[in-house]
Amino acid sequence: MTATSTPLNRPVRRRRRGLIGWAFIAPFAAVFIFATVLPLGYSFVLSLFQERMIGGVSFVGFENYVQQLTDPDFWSAVGRVGVFVAIQAPLMMALALLAALALDSARLHAPAVFRLGIFLPYAVPGVVATLLWGYIYGSKFGLVGDLNEMFGWSLANPLSSALILPSISNIGLWLYVGYNMLVFYAALRVIPTELYEAATIDGAGAWRIMFSIKLPAIWPAIIVAATFSIIGGFQLFNEPNILRALVPNVISSDFTPNMYAYTLSFAGGQYNAAAAVALIMGAITAVVAFLVQRRGFRRDI
Amino acid sequence: MVTLTQTTPPASPTAAAVAGEQRRAGKRYKPVRFNRSPGRTPTRSILLTAVMTLMLIYSLFPLVWLVVNSTKSVDDLFSTFGLWFGDTNVFWDNVVGVFTYDDGVYLTWLRNTVMYTLVGAGGSTLIAAMAGYGLAKFRFAGRRAVFAVILGAIAVPGSALAVPTFLLFSQMGLTNTPWAILIPSLVTPFGLYLLWVYAADAIPTELIEAARVDGAGEFRTFFTIGLRLMAPGILSVFLLEIVGSWNNYFLPLIMLNDPTWYPLTVGLNQWNSQAATAEGEVIFNLVITGSLIAIIPIVIVFLALQRFWQSGLSAGSVKG
């Protein structure tokens, strides 16, 4: 091995190494700039202009932002996803944590069945999941309607305006609890077993080990998962947009901020306002995510 | 001259060998239960199993509903109980209907989805693996800045970018072409983050040094050593990207208005919502059977690759 080394060219290589590092990053950087940086930049420029019937396109500064930030429709959409996140994120974390701890406890019969079965919905496209649950919720040929008819029950309509947010939350839970369960389970598996041995020798029981060792050890994973759950909630679009076909009176076209931006640009042709809404929401989620991530991600790479 | 594969020192228990050993152990992951709770084997709990069974039923019953109802005609869908079979089994009629309705447009959507998934997931994983390797194994100016940008980009989800990307792409005339779907799907900051962390842990720097000493070029080193050692991490990111591409909806919805470029997700939703239009034919049976057919390939890929999640997930977001 050493026989083939050529010490003379090593300093040259070292200097070139920085450039080579960038060469490895270049393909990612190229698509990243083209499909992330440029769209954001272009939207920012777009958001500073307005198209008027008379006078054409004109520079208006931050007027679009002021307009959106003072629009009650925008804020009611933000409020709705705020409530949605407040329902969904804690439930998601609690259920996923419960399932992960159960898997890790070695007290389950046939753990592999649970691990795979609960994870399986993650493979189902969100569109299919929403169509499916939409049918199940439906009163026409859905399961809820069937049950009411069959047993003479009067189950509340999951698609009514009172229950629509929990019903949408349920679709998200169904899709992602298994994924988060696996993330937590993976985090639990890398805890050194010596910690459990030491704790057992000290007389700690299973509950004590859970609260004093397991939960603190996977706390960063919980933080990160909660962040993704919150980000996803603020960007809610697919589920309400698809369910809207079933209940257009319950789900308005500006139900969530993303739907609001979508409607502005595709129904109204107000691209400047849509760009402003997209950037405001991007900023809100980025701030929330940043606050949570500060504690969640690795610093040492 | 010593070949590259032989530079993995088989005789001496170096860091490389130990890392490789751990990786192989992780790859052939089997739940080892006895040492999770030393001294005694925990008794299996009926109560806990019962609670988890409820969760399992919750996870699986919508899929059971989908299978059961794919055997029904539209009339039976409306008139028979949802969790049991109808009067006649028309599953094959439905399958034929899915593939022949509207001149077989479903097949076009299926082909599009496969193409978007292969190019998008394959390309984005390779690009992220290269970048992750470069960031983990080279020290150069601007590395910290890249880290900050990547963390920031993880916080900006695809759906937040969809409208801005549409605005730019329509300006450039890229909308309503497959490029509008393919190019954004090549970017995966989270995949890059996972592979960066993975490469930092899984590839011993001494091994790369050894390859350099042997005279291997940097890219050859990456393709022969880097990719191999990163394989479990790459596969888990690949699976993540496959699921993401196969299930992509928002971006194609806004980018495309020509049904010949639709993926399955957008097409199925169009079939579903045509019942609400004035002259639209009610084809819920085809939507349901089409949905079932759409998830079969992804479920197969998923079950085949799921064991790699363990290693990928434990390398990534979980280390504090």
Side-chain angles (χ1 to χ4, degrees), chain A residues 26-58:
Chain A
F28 182 88
V31 284
F32 183 74
I33 288 169
F34 191 72
T36 303
V37 178
L38 282 183
L40 286 176
Y42 180 68
S43 294
F44 180 67
V45 172
L46 214 54
S47 71
L48 301 177
F49 288 85
Q50 238 173 41
E51 205 173 336
R52 294 208 178 85
M53 296 277 259
I54 307 152
V57 179
S58 57

Side-chain angles (χ1 to χ4, degrees), chain A residues 102-158:
Chain A
L103 283 181
D104 190 60
S105 73
R107 285 166 185 274
L108 276 183
H109 296 269
V113 172
F114 292 101
R115 188 160 50 91
L116 271 183
I118 296 174
F119 186 33
L120 194 60
Y122 179 69
V124 176
V127 173
V128 172
T130 310
L131 291 174
L132 248 175
W133 278 101
Y135 291 146
I136 290 171
Y137 290 153
S139 52
K140 262 188 284 177
F141 61 90
L143 206 54
V144 173
D146 281 344
L147 291 172
N148 282 346
E149 205 175 302
M150 204 168 213
F151 300 106
W153 291 349
S154 50
L155 295 175
N157 177 10

